[in-house]
Amino acid sequence: MSGRRITAQPLTREAFAPFGAVIDKAGAAPRPMNAGRARRFHDLARIAVAGESAQVVVGLVEAEPYPLPLTLSLVERHPLGAQAFLPLNEAPFLVVVCPDEGGRPGRPQAFVTAPGQGVSYAMNVWHGVLTPFGAPQDFAVVDRGGPGVNLEEFVFEEPWSIHLPE
């Protein structure tokens, strides 16, 4: 499976830009609030939604860790809304995305988040499932709610093997 091996890279704004936005406080100017006892990092990512009666919804996910190297056989995309995942602790997680090639996912790219980083997948971007590693992890999820089919899945004929950097 040597041609199907992907090594994850550190998650950066520039590398992830074709797929959505990196969500973190780095480079964002905080605004004071609550009489100066809190700092708000505002507008870190946009969650676009499409379709009649569509709305932005917020949820929580409790995710079990995946063994590594990750065997990637399935990716998904959401044609009617962006989707953001914000870790509720400082553990890194694995992010897998694929460019679209004629309505099908192309060669995957993999990233490892820095502690505290989240991601927002743009509408219609092929991506892997939420993939913590090492320990269970909790996430806040900002997503699209409402009528319409907002999930498309693709199963690779031959899985990819995703590895952490050495």
Side-chain angles (χ1 to χ4, degrees):
M1 214 181 355
S2 63
R4 306 289 290 181
R5 179 183 167 118
I6 305 289
T7 300
Q9 303 301 313
L11 181 67
T12 65
R13 291 179 190 278
E14 297 75 23
F16 194 72
F19 307 103
V22 173
I23 302 171
D24 69 12
K25 297 183 287 188
R31 296 187 335 204
M33 59 183 276
N34 297 345
R37 297 193 56 88
R39 298 181 311 151
R40 179 179 176 146
F41 295 86
H42 187 68
D43 201 14
L44 297 178
R46 305 282 169 104
I47 305 300
V49 296
E52 188 175 329
S53 300
Q55 56 191 345
V56 175
V57 296
V58 177
L60 297 174
V61 172
E62 296 175 338
E64 294 296 318
Y66 281 78
L68 296 176
L70 176 71
T71 300
L72 178 73
S73 56
L74 171 90
V75 291
E76 64 185 40
R77 67 179 175 179
H78 307 282
L80 299 177
Q83 190 176 52
F85 293 94
L86 302 146
L88 298 178
N89 62 20
E90 292 292 312
F93 62 101
L94 189 63
V95 174
V96 178
V97 290
C98 303
D100 184 76
E101 294 181 357
R104 297 170 55 96
R107 180 182 173 85
Q109 296 178 40
F111 301 95
V112 177
T113 64
Q117 280 184 320
V119 295
S120 176
Y121 299 113
M123 279 195 300
N124 225 24
V125 166
W126 292 107
H127 61 87
V129 298
L130 185 58
T131 312
F133 57 90
Q137 195 168 352
D138 293 341
F139 294 84
V141 180
V142 183
D143 203 351
R144 178 198 183 272
V149 178
N150 191 33
L151 174 64
E152 183 179 348
E153 295 178 329
F154 182 89
V155 177
F156 292 106
E157 290 179 20
E158 183 181 348
W160 294 89
S161 180
I162 310 293
H163 298 256
L164 293 180
E166 294 183 19

